[in-house]
Amino acid sequence: MKQIKPVPYYTQCDTFEFKALAGELRTVFLPLIARRFDMHHLNGFPHQAIIRYVAQWKKDFPYYLRADIAKYYPSVPAAKLVAQTQIAYRDLLSLPHVPKKFKDRFFLRMAAWMRSLPMEQGIPLGSAMSAILAPLALLPLWLAVKRKYKVKLLVFMDDVLILCKERYMLHEIWPFISKRLSADLGVSLNLDKTKGGRFAGSRVEFCGWSFAGGYARVAEQKFNEFKQRIAAIIKNTKKDDTRSFIKRINNKIDGFGNYYKYGSVQRQFHELDCFIRIQARGWLSRGVSAKAYANEELEKLGLHSLLNCYHKAHPKKTPAKKQPVPPTEYYEHKPPKIDFGTINAIAKHSETVTKQLSQVIALQRKLLNALSNLGLTF
């Protein structure tokens, strides 16, 4: 029997008018959020951004508080969302009051959406207005936490990971958030998913990641859910459609692998690859021995691998080859060669000049003696 969601989790599609309003709110708020929050899901961040952000700041902010709101969509009053959205715009601009221009443009239209809902408490799933107003209403609280405690925040809808410098901040921020949520929005924290500690000494899960020590791995729940999705494909795909079967499996592998490939997941990916191949062999064999579908045969059929996704994101660095030291004769400045023939010629020329000088000196002495005999002196 198909499970029916409780009444608060009703679904409702917005009219074209309300979808346009949600788009306008995004256009106005997103540039302001980008200036105040470097890691907020409304800005959109790539898959590796979460683990890189934690790795970047966990040394200076070694403590964390992971908080989650209990049944946020089914329990929050729509009227409080509208009020807190206006306060969010005021706080993002650091103004003392909500600008009249913003009220004139959005208040009556947001109130019309609020009146269109079938109940006062709870907001619908699948609504563009719910998707934008729910996170906007929490912005005043996250801004207050950031300004008061000088912390780093990772925000994804109603989940937040707060990075703190000191342990005592955890004991102050927790009750601060709890009181503000109750007063501003009439909601409370989910105590089962709210946790504080130190990155080096405990494990924390956020956005499908499990952070422990210096590693980021696939959270256990997401790991098991992926196995269940593969098993469901095995069960529901017809036995005579191999091409469709491989395609459906590959879609799951590519989506899961490309999200988690930047973490420390090599061992987990290997385990999941083994699980996928076992399941695929069982589906493909159909009375034939499973040995007929070795890993090479599965690759020929086009089955993808999670480990291939991982290796593409972590290419091996080949060490640089050492250049051989050239011998002395290949240096740029070569020592000059000794030309003994030139040296000998210079020596002979020097001897000739010396003899000629000696002869000149002897002639000068004879001339002086002859002059002195004649009685001439100089």
Side-chain angles (χ1 to χ4, degrees), residues 1-14:
M1 181 178 177
K2 188 177 180 181
Q3 247 187 344
I4 299 175
K5 293 179 180 178
V7 173
Y9 287 102
Y10 63 90
T11 58
Q12 175 177 317
C13 295
D14 292 327

Side-chain angles (χ1 to χ4, degrees), residues 241-356:
D241 194 355
T242 302
R243 183 178 179 182
S244 175
F245 168 75
I246 295 295
K247 184 178 180 180
R248 292 181 66 189
I249 292 285
N250 285 342
N251 287 339
K252 297 298 181 184
I253 291 173
D254 294 343
F256 187 86
N258 287 324
Y259 183 82
Y260 288 106
K261 63 184 178 182
Y262 297 101
S264 309
V265 295
Q266 187 171 8
R267 184 175 297 178
Q268 289 179 306
F269 275 13
H270 174 70
E271 182 180 342
L272 289 174
D273 274 343
C274 293
F275 173 81
I276 293 168
R277 292 189 189 108
I278 291 171
Q279 296 295 317
R281 289 188 188 104
W283 187 93
L284 291 166
S285 59
R286 297 195 292 269
V288 181
S289 173
K291 294 181 180 179
Y293 293 98
N295 292 352
E296 294 77 9
E297 295 298 325
L298 293 176
E299 288 181 10
K300 289 179 182 178
L301 289 174
L303 185 66
H304 293 179
S305 167
L306 288 169
L307 275 178
N308 287 344
C309 292
Y310 176 85
H311 291 315
K312 288 178 182 178
H314 303 269
K316 292 183 178 180
K317 296 181 180 179
T318 55
K321 294 182 179 180
K322 293 183 178 180
Q323 297 295 332
V325 179
T328 308
E329 59 265 28
Y330 290 101
Y331 285 159
E332 185 178 355
H333 301 287
K334 297 179 181 179
K337 293 183 178 179
I338 301 175
D339 187 357
F340 292 101
T342 303
I343 293 175
N344 292 334
I346 293 173
K348 290 179 180 179
H349 183 69
S350 177
E351 289 177 2
T352 304
V353 172
T354 303
K355 288 179 181 180
Q356 291 176 350

Side-chain angles (χ1 to χ4, degrees), residues 1 14 22 59 75 81 100 168 195 217 221 230 240 285-286 288 298 301 306 319 333 354 360:
M1 181 178 177
D14 292 327
K59 184 176 180 181
S75 59
L81 285 185
K100 184 176 182 299
Y168 75 87
K195 179 183 178 182
R217 297 184 176 90
Q221 180 182 353
I230 296 298
D240 57 348
S285 59
R286 297 195 292 269
V288 181
L298 293 176
L301 289 174
L306 288 169
H333 301 287
T354 303
V360 171

Side-chain angles (χ1 to χ4, degrees), residues 40-302:
H40 195 289
H41 78 279
L42 288 178
N43 296 327
F45 38 76
H47 301 323
Q48 70 271 29
I50 295 175
I51 56 177
R52 288 183 178 177
Y53 193 81
V54 172
Q56 177 186 357
W57 292 110
K58 69 179 180 180
K59 184 176 180 181
D60 296 329
F61 297 82
Y63 298 93
Y64 69 83
L65 175 64
R66 195 266 197 217
D68 176 74
I69 300 175
K71 297 181 180 179
Y72 185 41
Y73 266 52
S75 59
V76 65
K80 289 185 177 292
L81 285 185
V82 173
Q84 287 299 115
T85 297
Q86 297 176 80
I87 295 173
Y89 186 77
R90 179 199 70 184
D91 292 350
L92 285 170
L93 294 176
S94 301
L95 297 175
H97 58 274
V98 181
K100 184 176 182 299
K101 185 177 179 180
F102 180 85
K103 287 184 177 181
D104 293 342
R105 181 179 177 183
F106 292 112
F107 177 73
L108 292 178
R109 298 160 71 190
M110 290 191 294
W113 172 78
M114 178 185 66
R115 289 192 296 270
S116 71
L117 302 180
M119 55 185 69
E120 294 182 1
Q121 187 170 353
I123 54 177
L125 298 173
S127 165
M129 285 294 292
S130 297
I132 186 64
L133 290 183
L136 291 182
L138 293 170
L139 285 178
L141 171 58
W142 306 144
L143 282 169
V145 170
K146 186 177 180 182
R147 288 168 177 168
K148 184 174 182 179
Y149 297 101
K150 309 299 181 185
V151 294
K152 297 290 181 182
L153 286 90
L154 275 161
V155 181
F156 191 87
M157 190 53 74
D158 59 329
D159 292 351
V160 63
L161 183 65
I162 304 172
L163 280 63
C164 310
K165 287 188 174 182
E166 303 293 342
R167 181 181 291 274
Y168 75 87
M169 292 182 178
L170 305 180
H171 304 289
E172 293 185 6
I173 295 175
W174 188 320
F176 178 80
I177 291 176
S178 183
K179 290 178 182 178
R180 284 288 298 264
L181 285 173
S182 178
D184 296 344
L185 293 167
V187 294
S188 60
L189 288 173
N190 184 346
L191 299 182
D192 293 333
K193 293 185 177 181
T194 301
K195 179 183 178 182
R198 186 183 177 95
F199 282 109
S202 59
R203 185 184 302 274
V204 58
E205 294 185 359
F206 184 76
C207 286
W209 289 103
S210 177
F211 297 98
Y215 301 97
R217 297 184 176 90
V218 184
E220 184 178 359
Q221 180 182 353
K222 299 298 180 183
F223 185 88
N224 294 329
E225 286 177 358
F226 179 74
K227 281 187 171 182
Q228 292 170 7
R229 289 197 293 271
I230 296 298
I233 293 175
I234 300 294
K235 182 179 179 180
N236 298 327
T237 304
K238 295 180 180 179
K239 294 292 184 180
D240 57 348
D241 194 355
T242 302
R243 183 178 179 182
S244 175
F245 168 75
I246 295 295
K247 184 178 180 180
R248 292 181 66 189
I249 292 285
N250 285 342
N251 287 339
K252 297 298 181 184
I253 291 173
D254 294 343
F256 187 86
N258 287 324
Y259 183 82
Y260 288 106
K261 63 184 178 182
Y262 297 101
S264 309
V265 295
Q266 187 171 8
R267 184 175 297 178
Q268 289 179 306
F269 275 13
H270 174 70
E271 182 180 342
L272 289 174
D273 274 343
C274 293
F275 173 81
I276 293 168
R277 292 189 189 108
I278 291 171
Q279 296 295 317
R281 289 188 188 104
W283 187 93
L284 291 166
S285 59
R286 297 195 292 269
V288 181
S289 173
K291 294 181 180 179
Y293 293 98
N295 292 352
E296 294 77 9
E297 295 298 325
L298 293 176
E299 288 181 10
K300 289 179 182 178
L301 289 174

